[in-house]
Amino acid sequence: MSMSKSKKVIVIGAGWAGLGATSHLAEQGYDVTLLEAAPYPGGLVAGWKTPGGKSVEGGIHGFWYPYRNIFSKVKQLNLDPFTRFTRSSQYSPAGLEVESPIFQDEPRLPSPLGTFVYTNFKRLPLSDRLSALPLLYSVIDFDNSDEAWQRYDKMTARELFKQYGVSERLYKESFEPMLLVGLFAPGEQCSAAAALGMLYYFILAHQPDFDVVWCRGTVGEKIFKPWIEEIEKAGGRVLTNKRVSDIAIDDAGKAIGVKCGDEFFAADAIISSVSITGMKKIVESSSTLNNYAQFRNLANLKGIDVLATRLWFDRKINIPLPSNACFGFDTTTGWTFFDLNDLHDEYHDEPNTVIEADFYHANQLLSMSDEQIIEKVHRDLTTCISGFGAAKVTDSSVIRVKEGVTHFFPGSYQNLLSAKTDIPNLYMSGDWIVTRHGSWSQEKAYVTGLEAANLIIKEFGMGSSANILAIEADEPHIQVARTINKTVRDWTQFLPNYW
């Protein structure tokens, strides 16, 4: 038995972060076990079958152009799970508001000009769009450093846009809809730091960054299932229905294993890859983690409610573009809808239309009955595309996920965890973990899983570190602007600061 094989690692949570960490450590010969509380790996992106055999999932998730590491891993697994790059639309109760092209197909312009020039706004006047120009200073000033997060995190995104002169109409019809489907909350409930980081990564850094592909079925079937098979071939174990209730710590302050009710899994190192909500539940039931302020402080964090619906109609409806975002239907809720006949292999030959409609910051909707929810979704779809009006719903699925996605609210940064914790062999990963990589969402989760695996490899001095692809470098004019801005900030640090 090799020295690395004798080192036991427990990974908690089988999403992008947990699978990433488990996969790499198994490839390096570690004795690694992945524990998942649910009956299936993957969390919201996993997908499962209804009793009638139809596929559903807790929301459709896109894979954006800058997801370099995920695309690299999928290629390494010899999988072909993705659609072509697709165009998208944006609707309000007034009708079609925006159509986006495939940006990589357009002549390349210096960032962020391409985003503004090639996006087809149907109603928004040019004068309102131009009011975003002063905001570019904050985009340059926010460089994802700890200092930048400290500067902007306690401000709301709404305050940020107002402070930099963004028109009320541009905010309501462009920026807030992006926040509602990107950070899953209205601007007054989003950290300005998170808003700047998300907008820059997905939209402003490079012209093609907003281009997106979709999984041609559930992520669980198309990606996670074959990935887990590879993990098991490498010697790793993936165990479902294993809800972690505590982490055991010895007298020296090192983790020695995890408890799942009456079961105990010994470990030389542990990686947590669960959501904020999942980690809070572990802390609440733990007799050890409550001794550490950084874990007690997680009680200050929270998630955002998600409502995922799938509707089968009695006829084919003409849907201009496969992916669509919507705003203005409910004051604090953003939602998206997708033409699954176009995106999913399972429904390509379906004679009737199948739609996925997902709602974020949906707390006020969760208490509605399934019938009320489906009626509302049908009504809202009809407002966007009139062809839904005459159609009848023949089958449906409603999935409610309480606190299902991370809420980056103002002031939350001070309580987020880094990969290293006060327990020296307990590491953290997930889309809510602090990292300087610069990615977001699923890509960030996967990257932090690899970063946690690399910390274990460094700790034991065995195996090769995972190669983590950096995000694409800033364009030259942004680099120059950030260098000048940093120089000015360095010069002014000696001036009195009354805050």
Side-chain angles (χ1 to χ4, degrees):
M1 180 179 288
S2 68
M3 288 183 64
S4 60
K5 188 70 175 178
S6 68
K7 297 298 181 182
K8 294 181 180 292
V9 180
I10 298 295
V11 180
I12 309 168
W16 281 104
L19 287 169
T22 303
S23 175
H24 185 70
L25 290 172
E27 290 169 2
Q28 300 307 306
Y30 285 79
D31 182 357
V32 57
T33 301
L34 174 56
L35 305 176
E36 168 57 47
Y40 42 81
L44 279 184
V45 302
W48 57 93
K49 296 285 188 181
T50 67
K54 294 179 177 178
S55 297
V56 294
E57 55 198 312
I60 297 288
H61 299 264
F63 294 80
W64 270 261
Y65 184 88
Y67 281 16
R68 290 178 159 189
N69 290 279
I70 285 181
F71 289 138
S72 176
K73 183 61 184 180
V74 167
K75 183 177 180 181
Q76 179 192 335
L77 292 169
N78 293 314
L79 302 178
D80 182 25
F82 297 126
T83 67
R84 71 202 182 282
F85 282 97
T86 65
R87 297 176 59 215
S88 60
S89 299
Q90 192 175 93
Y91 290 90
S92 77
L96 179 63
E97 298 286 349
V98 179
E99 286 185 333
S100 298
I102 298 174
F103 288 96
Q104 61 195 285
D105 291 345
E106 303 293 337
R108 189 79 176 249
L109 297 176
S111 176
L113 286 179
T115 304
F116 290 103
V117 170
Y118 298 130
T119 301
N120 183 7
F121 293 92
K122 301 295 183 179
R123 309 173 201 272
L124 191 64
L126 178 62
S127 58
D128 287 284
R129 283 177 268 164
L130 291 174
S131 73
L133 290 176
L135 184 67
L136 293 179
Y137 170 73
S138 64
V139 172
I140 290 167
D141 189 44
F142 184 81
D143 59 2
N144 198 47
S145 64
D146 178 69
E147 294 78 10
W149 274 90
Q150 297 286 358
R151 279 198 300 275
Y152 287 97
D153 182 59
K154 293 180 181 178
M155 179 190 301
T156 72
R158 187 179 185 279
E159 289 171 334
L160 174 76
F161 295 127
K162 186 175 182 180
Q163 176 179 315
Y164 282 94
V166 170
S167 75
E168 183 178 11
R169 183 169 180 181
L170 178 64
Y171 172 74
K172 287 184 175 180
E173 297 184 14
S174 183
F175 284 115
E176 184 155 73
M178 293 180 200
L179 296 175
L180 284 168
V181 298
L183 291 179
F184 315 117
E188 65 271 17
Q189 297 182 37
C190 291
S191 154
L196 288 170
M198 183 274 294
L199 290 172
Y200 189 69
Y201 179 72
F202 283 118
I203 300 171
L204 300 176
H206 308 283
Q207 184 174 303
D209 284 348
F210 195 59
D211 289 343
V212 61
V213 298
W214 310 90
C215 196
R216 300 193 338 263
T218 65
V219 173
E221 281 293 321
K222 293 289 186 181
I223 301 176
F224 286 179
K225 184 177 179 180
W227 193 2
I228 289 170
E229 290 172 358
E230 290 299 313
I231 289 172
E232 291 173 339
K233 286 179 185 177
R237 293 192 301 162
V238 179
L239 306 180
T240 57
N241 293 302
K242 302 295 181 185
R243 184 174 297 278
V244 172
S245 55
D246 206 350
I247 292 176
I249 299 173
D250 65 14
D251 293 339
K254 296 194 74 172
I256 57 174
V258 303
K259 297 177 182 178
C260 297
D262 295 331
E263 287 187 277
F264 181 75
F265 294 86
D268 297 299
I270 298 168
I271 297 174
S272 171
S273 302
V274 298
S275 66
I276 284 177
T277 304
M279 194 62 207
K280 286 168 64 177
K281 289 178 179 178
I282 294 174
V283 174
E284 286 170 7
S285 65
S286 173
S287 61
T288 56
L289 296 181
N290 273 299
N291 295 320
Y292 297 84
Q294 65 179 166
F295 292 109
R296 292 196 302 269
N297 290 341
L298 294 181
N300 294 314
L301 301 175
K302 52 191 175 183
I304 291 173
D305 298 342
V306 177
L307 176 66
T309 69
R310 189 160 292 187
L311 283 70
W312 285 260
F313 289 91
D314 66 350
R315 67 194 66 192
K316 206 58 169 280
I317 300 160
N318 180 36
I319 303 170
L321 295 177
S323 64
N324 307 274
C326 305
F327 69 94
F329 291 78
D330 300 279
T331 307
T332 60
T333 300
W335 64 287
T336 53
F337 70 92
F338 303 91
D339 179 3
L340 297 189
N341 301 80
D342 187 324
L343 299 180
H344 281 195
D345 293 349
E346 180 178 353
Y347 302 117
H348 277 176
D349 299 323
E350 182 88 13
N352 302 321
T353 287
V354 184
I355 293 292
E356 173 83 13
D358 302 325
F359 295 77
Y360 298 98
H361 203 266
N363 44 296
Q364 78 276 17
L365 305 179
L366 296 193
S367 61
M368 296 168 65
S369 68
D370 287 4
E371 293 75 17
Q372 289 173 321
I373 288 170
I374 295 304
E375 182 181 341
K376 171 186 168 47
V377 176
H378 192 178
R379 183 172 61 249
D380 289 350
L381 286 169
T382 302
T383 301
C384 298
I385 297 174
S386 60
F388 282 101
K392 288 182 169 48
V393 178
T394 60
D395 199 0
S396 61
S397 166
V398 176
I399 298 171
R400 299 168 178 84
V401 187
K402 192 72 175 172
E403 296 197 17
V405 293
T406 303
H407 188 185
F408 294 97
F409 59 88
S412 58
Y413 179 72
Q414 62 191 325
N415 292 310
L416 298 177
L417 297 181
S418 299
K420 292 183 177 180
T421 71
D422 292 341
I423 301 170
N425 60 337
L426 171 60
Y427 301 98
M428 307 299 297
S429 62
D431 70 355
W432 60 283
I433 300 303
V434 175
T435 175
R436 299 302 160 211
H437 183 263
S439 51
W440 277 84
S441 193
Q442 296 177 102
E443 174 80 351
K444 180 183 178 184
Y446 177 53
V447 165
T448 58
L450 296 181
E451 289 176 339
N454 286 349
L455 288 171
I456 285 180
I457 287 169
K458 182 178 180 181
E459 175 185 351
F460 294 120
M462 294 174 284
S464 300
S465 295
N467 178 33
I468 300 173
L469 302 175
I471 61 172
E472 186 177 350
D474 292 333
E475 294 184 9
H477 61 290
I478 300 295
Q479 292 184 32
V480 170
R482 284 186 163 168
T483 299
I484 294 172
N485 181 65
K486 186 177 185 307
T487 301
V488 172
R489 279 202 170 275
D490 290 344
W491 287 344
T492 58
Q493 67 178 318
F494 302 105
L495 297 177
N497 183 354
Y498 299 105
W499 279 88

